[in-house]
């Protein structure tokens, strides 16, 4: 008799049911096999292979330089690790803005070559045709509104978005549009909590917040930020659950000391 417990995969339907039940949705980023294994086994509902890989994995200042090939490489490593979580992958800058056919081709590559379960795409009504075309191919789409880092050079700063009524109203309309098109969820990044609460109440699909307050249906953080691997990054919305920079730094320093003093390896650590 097998004692292996079958792991039930989280799907876009599960996420929808969680919203209906009022059960909060947890989402975290991951970009490689080892980290994704931990994120998955800890019970995270959605793993986002974010284009924040451009910052935290590659050291770029913005998310703009990461390529579709690089996203597929990260995503395929995460997919191999995720036994339970729904794996959502960002369409990177330049892979969908040209036209809806290009957007569909990029989404198909992510699904086919990485084995992802869904894609995420930044923007509202202006990308409606692309969202629609991707959905027509049977690929689940998550939207992303508010602070959309791929447009950083248009915004000029990473400060809170939609503080003024005109932008707040556009965000409300964009959220409804994404729902009407068939998106299964929408990330709300760095907007006032009250606006996120209103949008969340008005939508049937779940909202996942980052810097958008406690009334969203779920929350997402960049794994390097919440584990304290990025030493200097401490925005107000971030809760840091560990201080891995110091933990890892000390461990590596101890290793270096042991190698140089010839105390590693010892007699028990050799053949
Ligand atoms: O790329 C990313 O990590 C994201 C999250 C911040 C939502 O899009």
């Amino acid at each position: 008799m097998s004692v292996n417990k079958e792991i039930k995969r989280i799907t876009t339907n599960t996420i929808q049911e969680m919203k209906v039940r009022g059960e909060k949705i947890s989402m975290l980023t991951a970009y490689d096999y080892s980290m994704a294994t931990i994120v998955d086994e800890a019970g995270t509902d959605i793993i986002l292979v974010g284009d924040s890989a451009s910052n935290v994995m590659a050291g770029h200042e913005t998310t703009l330089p990461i390529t579709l090939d690089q996203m597929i490489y990260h995503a395929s490593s995460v997919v191999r690790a995720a036994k339970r979580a729904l794996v959502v992958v960002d369409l990177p800058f330049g892979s969908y803005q040209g036209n809806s056919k290009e957007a569909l081709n990029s989404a198909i590559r992510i699904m086919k070559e990485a084995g992802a379960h869904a894609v995420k795409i930044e923007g509202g009504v202006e990308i409606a045709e692309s969202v629609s075309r991707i959905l027509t191919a049977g690929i689940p789409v998550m939207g992303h509104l508010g602070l959309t880092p791929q447009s950083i050079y248009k915004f000029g700063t990473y400060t809170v978005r939609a503080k003024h009524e005109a932008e707040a109203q556009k965000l409300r309309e964009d959220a409804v549009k994404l729902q009407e098109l068939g998106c299964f969820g929408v990330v709300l990044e760095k907007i006032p909590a009250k606006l996120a609460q209103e949008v969340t109440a008005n939508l049937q699909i779940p909202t996942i917040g980052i810097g958008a307050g406690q009334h969203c249906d779920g929350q997402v953080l960049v794994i390097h930020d919440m584990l304290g691997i990025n030493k200097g990054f401490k925005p107000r919305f971030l809760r840091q659950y560990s201080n891995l920079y110091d933990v890892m730094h000390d461990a590596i320093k101890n290793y270096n000391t042991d190698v140089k003093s010839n105390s590693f390896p010892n007699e028990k650590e050799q053949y």
Side-chain angles (χ1 to χ4, degrees):
M1 194 181 81
S2 168
V3 289
N4 284 343
K5 262 213 257 154
E6 209 179 291
I7 300 168
K8 198 153 183 270
R9 170 77 68 187
I10 302 276
T11 66
T12 54
N13 291 335
T14 322
I15 298 302
Q16 182 60 51
E17 287 160 11
M18 287 170 83
K19 164 136 185 160
V20 172
R21 284 200 301 271
E23 182 182 339
K24 295 281 184 177
I25 301 158
S26 64
M27 174 158 137
L28 281 171
T29 67
Y31 319 96
D32 68 87
Y33 179 84
S34 302
M35 191 72 96
T37 299
I38 301 170
V39 173
D40 189 60
E41 288 186 357
T44 313
D45 300 312
I46 305 176
I47 301 182
L48 172 66
V49 184
D51 58 359
S52 49
S54 180
N55 310 106
V56 296
M57 299 301 286
H60 293 296
E61 220 173 278
T62 72
T63 58
L64 275 66
I66 199 160
T67 65
L68 183 58
D69 283 339
Q70 288 165 341
M71 287 303 294
I72 289 170
Y73 168 76
H74 287 297
S76 56
S77 308
V78 169
V79 167
R80 282 192 287 276
K83 304 286 178 268
R84 175 181 173 272
L86 178 78
V87 179
V88 180
V89 180
D90 266 337
L91 279 175
F93 179 70
S95 73
Y96 63 94
Q97 288 90 346
N99 57 57
S100 62
K101 191 157 185 278
E102 184 190 25
L104 174 61
N105 287 340
S106 301
I108 287 176
R109 282 199 61 201
I110 287 175
M111 301 299 283
K112 215 178 170 80
E113 295 175 40
H117 308 138
V119 297
K120 178 164 80 58
I121 181 164
E122 293 184 7
V125 68
E126 57 285 344
I127 53 152
E129 191 184 312
S130 296
V131 170
S132 216
R133 199 156 184 171
I134 297 169
L135 284 162
T136 311
I139 301 171
V141 178
M142 177 174 260
H144 185 153
L145 298 172
L147 177 64
T148 46
Q150 291 178 15
S151 305
I152 184 58
Y153 291 115
K154 187 174 105 186
F155 297 145
T157 80
Y158 286 101
T159 52
V160 180
R161 306 300 315 171
K163 282 206 285 194
H164 302 294
E165 184 47 32
E167 198 181 336
Q169 185 53 27
K170 174 159 171 28
L171 190 142
R172 289 184 195 100
E173 287 165 14
D174 281 343
V176 170
K177 182 73 184 171
L178 291 172
Q179 172 172 276
E180 282 170 2
L181 290 169
C183 287
F184 74 90
V186 57
V187 166
L188 299 176
E189 180 163 356
K190 239 177 163 183
I191 62 169
K194 208 159 166 282
L195 176 62
Q197 178 176 16
E198 191 197 318
V199 170
T200 301
N202 195 35
L203 291 183
Q204 270 92 57
I205 58 170
T207 60
I208 311 288
I210 172 163
Q214 63 186 169
H215 297 290
C216 293
D217 296 304
Q219 298 293 328
V220 57
L221 287 174
V222 169
I223 190 85
H224 289 64
D225 300 342
M226 62 86 76
L227 291 178
I229 299 174
N230 293 334
K231 211 170 167 55
F233 187 67
K234 287 200 181 100
R236 175 169 160 175
F237 70 79
L238 175 66
R239 186 176 296 177
Q240 207 178 292
Y241 286 83
S242 189
N243 191 353
L244 279 199
Y245 182 96
D246 287 341
V247 171
M248 292 168 79
H249 181 271
D250 290 353
I252 293 163
K253 218 168 161 198
N254 288 340
Y255 165 79
N256 288 336
T257 305
D258 288 355
V259 169
K260 287 180 190 296
S261 65
N262 204 25
S263 74
F264 173 79
N266 63 24
E267 279 179 9
K268 287 188 196 146
E269 291 163 331
Q270 63 193 14
Y271 300 100

